[in-house]
C-alpha cells in the first residue's frame, strides 16, 4: 500500500469499537477513582478519617491483586493511611523500642516490623548483652524469640537477672551460699521481673533458617503475637542445602532467608554478627561496614547496621564506662553515633 494508505490503517486501528468497549469503560472507571484519590489527599479541609473511608470504598471497587504480594495503589494507600490513623489513636507507631531513646529516634521510632537489623562488633564489645536488653524492651509488644547459638539459656538468664537485680554478673555466677543469702531479696526481685517477660530462648547449638521458621510457626500458634526475633549470631548458623558451598555464599543465603522471615511474619529480626580481625590493625578501630565478617550480603540485605565500640578495649586511658553505638547503615534515616553508658558489672548499656 501507499504511505497514505498505511496511515489510514493506523488511524483505523486506534478507533474504539464495540469489541473493546468494556476495556475502555474499565480504564475510565479506574482513572476516575485515581483522580478522586488525588483530590481527597490534596484537600486539607477533609477530615482524616473521611479520606481513609473514601479510599477504602475506592479500593473495594478496584480489582484485587492475584496474591498477597500484589497490591493495587488504592489498596496500598488505604492500608498505609489506616496504619497512620491507628498510630494517632494508639499514640505512636507499632515499633519495638530499644534501651536507647536516641537510637530509637534515628531508626525511625525503634525496631520496625518487617525489617532486618544487624548488630555487630568485635568480641567483648557487649553484643549479646545489648541484644538481650533489646529483646526485653521488645517484649512489651508480644513474645520475643531469642535464638542463641553461642550461649546456653542458663547463661542468658544469669545476665538478665544480674541486670534486673543490679548485681555484678561475675559475683552472681560464682556466688556461694553466704553471698546468695545476703543478696537473696535482690535476686528474687530481679528473677521475678525477668520471669514476667514473654521471652523465649532457643539455645540449640546447631540452628538453620528452617529451624527458625519452625520456631516462629510453633511460637505463634502457642503464644500468639510475636514481637521480634534475635539471632546470636549469624556466622554460627547453617543454611539447608548450602553447607558445601563457599562460606560467603552460605552466609548470603542465610541473610536473605532472615530478611524473608522478617517480611513474611512482619516482625523485626536482629541478627548479631562478628567483625573481621583485620580492623585491629587500623589506628582507628571503629568498625565500618566492610569489616562485617563473611558477609557482604549482610550489608546488602539489612535495613540497618549497628556497631558497638568501646575505646577502653584498646586504650587503657579511655573511660571504661563509655560505649559508642554506631549506626553504620540506616535505610530509614541518618547514619549517626549514639554515645551511651557501659556498666561493666552488669554488662549493660544505658542512655
Amino acid at each position: 500500500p501507499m504511505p497514505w494508505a498505511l496511515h489510514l490503517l493506523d488511524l483505523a486501528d486506534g478507533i474504539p469499537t464495540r469489541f473493546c468497549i468494556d476495556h475502555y469503560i474499565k480504564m475510565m472507571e479506574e482513572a476516575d477513582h485515581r483522580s478522586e484519590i488525588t483530590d481527597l489527599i490534596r484537600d486539607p479541609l477533609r477530615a482524616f478519617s473521611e479520606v481513609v473511608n473514601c479510599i477504602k470504598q475506592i479500593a473495594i471497587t478496584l480489582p484485587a491483586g492475584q496474591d498477597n504480594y500484589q497490591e493495587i495503589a488504592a489498596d496500598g494507600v488505604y492500608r498505609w493511611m489506616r496504619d497512620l490513623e491507628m498510630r494517632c489513636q494508639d499514640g505512636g507507631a507499632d515499633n519495638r523500642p530499644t534501651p536507647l531513646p536516641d537510637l530509637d529516634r534515628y531508626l525511625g521510632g525503634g525496631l520496625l516490623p518487617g525489617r532486618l537489623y544487624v548488630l555487630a562488633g568485635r568480641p567483648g564489645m557487649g553484643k549479646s548483652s545489648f541484644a538481650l536488653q533489646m529483646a526485653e524492651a521488645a517484649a512489651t509488644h508480644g513474645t520475643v524469640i531469642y535464638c542463641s547459638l553461642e550461649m546456653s539459656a542458663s547463661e542468658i538468664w544469669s545476665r538478665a537477672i544480674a541486670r534486673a537485680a543490679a548485681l555484678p554478673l561475675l559475683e552472681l555466677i560464682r556466688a556461694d551460699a553466704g553471698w546468695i543469702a545476703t543478696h537473696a531479696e535482690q535476686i528474687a526481685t530481679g528473677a521475678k521481673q525477668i520471669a514476667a517477660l514473654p521471652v523465649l530462648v532457643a539455645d540449640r547449638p546447631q540452628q538453620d533458617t528452617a529451624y527458625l521458621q519452625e520456631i516462629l510457626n510453633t511460637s505463634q500458634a502457642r503464644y500468639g503475637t510475636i514481637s521480634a526475633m534475635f539471632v546470636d549470631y549469624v556466622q554460627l548458623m547453617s543454611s539447608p542445602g548450602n553447607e558445601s558451598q563457599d562460606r560467603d555464599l552460605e552466609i548470603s543465603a542465610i541473610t536473605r532467608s532472615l530478611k524473608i522471615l522478617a517480611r513474611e511474619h512482619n516482625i523485626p529480626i536482629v541478627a548479631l554478627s562478628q567483625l573481621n580481625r583485620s580492623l585491629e590493625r587500623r589506628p582507628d578501630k571503629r568498625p565500618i561496614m566492610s569489616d562485617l565478617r563473611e558477609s557482604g550480603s549482610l550489608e546488602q540485605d539489612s535495613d540497618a547496621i549497628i556497631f558497638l565500640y568501646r575505646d577502653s578495649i584498646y586504650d587503657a586511658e579511655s573511660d571504661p564506662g563509655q560505649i559508642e553505638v554506631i549506626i553504620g547503615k540506616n535505610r530509614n534515616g541518618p547514619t549517626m553515633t549514639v554515645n551511651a553508658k557501659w556498666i561493666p558489672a552488669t554488662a549493660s548499656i544505658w542512655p
Side-chain angles (χ1 to χ4, degrees):
M2 299 298 290
W4 58 266
L6 292 175
H7 181 59
L8 287 177
L9 288 173
D10 288 340
L11 289 175
D13 288 340
I15 298 174
T17 69
R18 63 184 179 86
F19 299 107
C20 56
I21 190 66
D22 289 342
H23 171 69
Y24 285 105
I25 291 174
K26 182 179 178 182
M27 287 178 60
M28 292 174 66
E29 286 177 346
E30 292 190 9
D32 182 60
H33 290 322
R34 294 188 180 98
S35 176
E36 186 175 350
I37 292 175
T38 303
D39 292 342
L40 287 170
I41 294 175
R42 287 178 178 172
D43 184 357
L45 301 179
R46 299 285 290 274
F48 187 87
S49 60
E50 184 180 351
V51 174
V52 175
N53 289 332
C54 287
I55 292 178
K56 178 182 179 181
Q57 294 304 315
I58 293 167
I60 291 173
T61 65
L62 292 177
Q66 297 301 308
D67 58 37
N68 291 335
Y69 295 97
Q70 297 180 25
E71 185 174 67
I72 200 162
D75 289 329
V77 172
Y78 167 68
R79 181 174 54 80
W80 184 87
M81 295 193 72
R82 181 61 179 158
D83 289 344
L84 209 61
E85 187 179 38
M86 292 299 293
R87 290 191 210 175
C88 295
Q89 296 174 358
D90 297 339
D94 186 30
N95 301 340
R96 284 55 166 165
T98 74
L100 302 176
D102 284 345
L103 179 61
D104 289 347
R105 186 168 67 254
Y106 295 134
L107 291 178
L111 305 179
L112 282 65
R115 268 66 164 193
L116 175 62
Y117 297 86
V118 174
L119 179 61
R122 290 291 294 153
M125 287 293 175
K127 296 187 300 297
S128 297
S129 295
F130 190 48
L132 187 54
Q133 284 184 262
M134 295 170 77
E136 293 170 15
T140 58
H141 283 67
T143 300
V144 173
I145 302 171
Y146 194 98
C147 300
S148 176
L149 293 86
E150 186 175 35
M151 293 191 296
S152 68
S154 179
E155 291 176 275
I156 291 172
W157 299 132
S158 294
R159 287 170 178 253
I161 293 171
R163 182 173 54 255
L167 290 170
L169 174 61
L170 184 59
E171 296 294 328
L172 185 62
I173 291 173
R174 66 184 185 188
D176 57 20
W179 192 92
I180 294 173
T182 302
H183 300 87
E185 186 174 347
Q186 283 177 270
I187 295 172
T189 300
K192 183 178 180 181
Q193 178 180 328
I194 296 302
L197 295 173
V199 176
L200 171 69
V201 172
D203 66 347
R204 181 172 164 180
Q206 291 184 334
Q207 300 185 31
D208 56 28
T209 51
Y211 179 65
L212 299 189
Q213 176 73 75
E214 179 186 339
I215 292 176
L216 278 167
N217 291 337
T218 56
S219 298
Q220 192 164 17
R222 181 176 298 178
Y223 304 112
T225 302
I226 302 301
S227 173
M229 172 178 270
F230 292 77
V231 180
D232 185 6
Y233 58 89
V234 71
Q235 282 82 12
L236 292 179
M237 290 188 66
S238 60
S239 177
N242 296 302
E243 294 86 350
S244 61
Q245 292 184 1
D246 178 87
R247 184 56 179 164
D248 287 345
L249 294 178
E250 187 175 7
I251 292 293
S252 295
I254 292 169
T255 58
R256 185 57 191 156
S257 295
L258 291 176
K259 177 63 178 178
I260 291 172
L261 284 176
R263 288 196 57 193
E264 286 183 342
H265 291 270
N266 196 34
I267 60 170
I269 292 182
V270 179
L272 279 63
S273 174
Q274 293 281 16
L275 296 177
N276 289 317
R277 190 180 292 110
S278 59
L279 71 81
E280 307 279 354
R281 296 193 289 268
R282 296 199 303 257
D284 185 353
K285 297 173 176 55
R286 287 173 177 81
I288 56 177
M289 285 194 288
S290 59
D291 293 323
L292 287 168
R293 185 177 176 183
E294 301 174 325
S295 44
S297 58
L298 274 176
E299 182 178 342
Q300 174 181 320
D301 293 328
S302 62
D303 294 280
I305 297 175
I306 302 166
F307 298 110
L308 298 183
Y309 175 76
R310 289 193 286 134
D311 197 56
S312 59
I313 295 289
Y314 305 104
D315 185 354
E317 296 182 0
S318 292
D319 185 354
Q322 294 294 316
I323 186 168
E324 297 177 27
V325 182
I326 304 168
I327 305 174
K329 174 187 175 180
N330 190 4
R331 191 163 285 165
N332 297 300
T335 54
M336 302 286 289
T337 295
V338 176
N339 293 306
K341 297 177 182 177
W342 169 254
I343 312 299
T346 57
S348 55
I349 299 175
W350 300 107

